[in-house]
């Protein structure tokens, strides 16, 4: 059983659509991270959150600690948002060890 | 440079050879991580360094894998007697060190074992 589960695994959307990617985790966490990996491999950290909600441009990340669930939302999606989005749980009390979801591959069609 | 630098970017070697992968973290970052991403798989934690503390090696898949971090900066991941299943992208990341700080990733080393 994976400590971090993401859904959906693959997602295709039309440009302009509102997108939601979900992440559930089973371990106690110090923080939850959302990462973006573009074709070619470069990984960028989008958000780090331990409670509530964060917003950066068209991206919004929320977390519900009681339900052990986080969502990443993309408003007004654009083809350049096409990437793999990875949820990572920073495990509490084990240094900075992270458990990763297998990623959601997003394709936004013009 | 401003980011995490990894070298080489690509490495092709024969089964049974040893390889060394290098990571230059962001200056001042005390935490350094190595991850592996096999084809079609998610990221897998390998090892974590924090300052002068003993590293967390709990993710290393076998005793053929080892890593060092000299002077609290540059790190080298060594794989001895490589096997085909070692083929993957090896990613290094660094962070400022406090728990939960965002990690900054290098572009990775793509390792192919023939």
């Amino acid at each position: 059983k994976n400590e971090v589960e993401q859904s959906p695994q693959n997602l295709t959307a039309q440009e302009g659509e509102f997108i939601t990617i979900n992440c559930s985790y089973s371990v106690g966490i110090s923080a939850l991270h959302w990462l973006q990996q573009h074709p070619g491999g470069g990984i960028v950290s989008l958000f780090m959150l331990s409670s509530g909600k964060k917003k950066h441009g068209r991206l919004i990340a929320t977390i519900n600690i009681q339900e052990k669930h986080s969502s990443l939302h993309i408003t007004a999606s654009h083809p350049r948002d096409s990437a793999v989005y990875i949820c990572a749980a920073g495990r509490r009390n084990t240094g900075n060890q992270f458990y990763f979801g297998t990623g959601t591959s997003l394709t936004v069609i013009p | 440079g401003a980011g995490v630098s990894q070298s080489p970017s690509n490495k092709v070697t024969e089964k049974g050879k040893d390889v060394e992968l290098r990571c230059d973290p962001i200056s001042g970052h005390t935490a350094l991580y190595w991850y592996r991403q096999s084809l079609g798989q998610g990221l897998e934690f390998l090892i974590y360094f924090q300052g002068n503390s003993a590293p967390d090696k709990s993710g290393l898949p076998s005793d053929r894998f080892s890593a060092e971090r000299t002077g609290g900066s540059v790190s080298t991941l060594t794989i001895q007697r490589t096997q085909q299943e070692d083929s993957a992208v090896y990613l290094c990341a660094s962070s400022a060190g406090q728990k939960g700080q965002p990690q900054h990733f290098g572009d990775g080393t793509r390792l192919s074992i023939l």
Side-chain angles (χ1 to χ4, degrees):
Chain A
K1 180 185 181 301
N2 293 332
E3 289 83 0
V4 178
E5 299 277 357
Q6 279 186 245
S7 63
Q9 284 191 321
N10 295 283
L11 181 57
T12 300
Q14 292 289 331
E15 183 174 356
E17 284 186 8
F18 180 83
I19 288 163
T20 296
I21 299 170
N22 295 300
C23 174
S24 296
Y25 54 91
S26 59
V27 295
I29 67 167
S30 56
L32 192 289
H33 298 243
W34 282 100
L35 310 173
Q36 180 191 56
Q37 185 172 29
H38 276 287
I43 293 178
V44 174
S45 178
L46 297 175
F47 294 104
M48 178 197 65
L49 66 166
S50 55
S51 65
K53 173 180 169 179
K54 288 191 175 181
K55 184 175 189 293
H56 185 258
R58 295 180 294 104
L59 302 178
I60 303 167
T62 63
I63 188 168
N64 185 317
I65 297 295
Q66 286 73 29
E67 294 184 4
K68 294 188 174 180
H69 181 270
S70 176
S71 293
L72 177 68
H73 305 284
I74 304 175
T75 62
S77 59
H78 190 276
R80 65 175 174 266
D81 297 327
S82 298
V84 175
Y85 293 84
I86 302 167
C87 171
R91 190 170 176 183
R92 192 190 306 144
N93 298 330
T94 57
N96 263 344
Q97 185 170 143
F98 282 80
Y99 291 95
F100 294 88
T102 53
T104 295
S105 179
L106 172 66
T107 302
V108 180
I109 300 170
Chain B
V4 176
S5 177
Q6 289 188 246
S7 62
S9 54
N10 286 283
K11 177 73 176 177
V12 180
T13 193
E14 292 179 347
K15 176 182 170 181
K17 301 285 190 184
D18 298 351
V19 294
E20 283 190 354
L21 312 179
R22 177 187 168 103
C23 173
D24 270 290
I26 291 173
S27 178
H29 279 189
T30 58
L32 186 148
Y33 310 76
W34 282 100
Y35 299 102
R36 178 168 72 173
Q37 188 173 36
S38 302
L39 186 64
Q41 303 295 313
L43 283 161
E44 175 189 10
F45 166 80
L46 296 178
I47 188 169
Y48 160 64
F49 295 90
Q50 171 59 281
N52 295 321
S53 302
D56 176 355
K57 304 179 181 181
S58 58
L60 294 178
S62 78
D63 59 8
R64 297 186 295 104
F65 288 71
S66 62
E68 292 184 336
R69 189 178 185 194
T70 54
S73 181
V74 171
S75 178
T76 302
L77 176 70
T78 301
I79 309 173
Q80 296 179 308
R81 305 180 303 281
T82 52
Q83 303 294 313
Q84 287 189 328
E85 62 263 27
D86 299 334
S87 296
V89 176
Y90 290 81
L91 289 153
C92 175
S94 71
S95 76
Q98 290 80 21
K99 279 188 182 180
Q101 286 297 307
Q103 296 182 31
H104 300 261
F105 285 80
D107 290 336
T109 293
R110 184 174 300 276
L111 177 64
S112 300
I113 309 300
L114 302 178

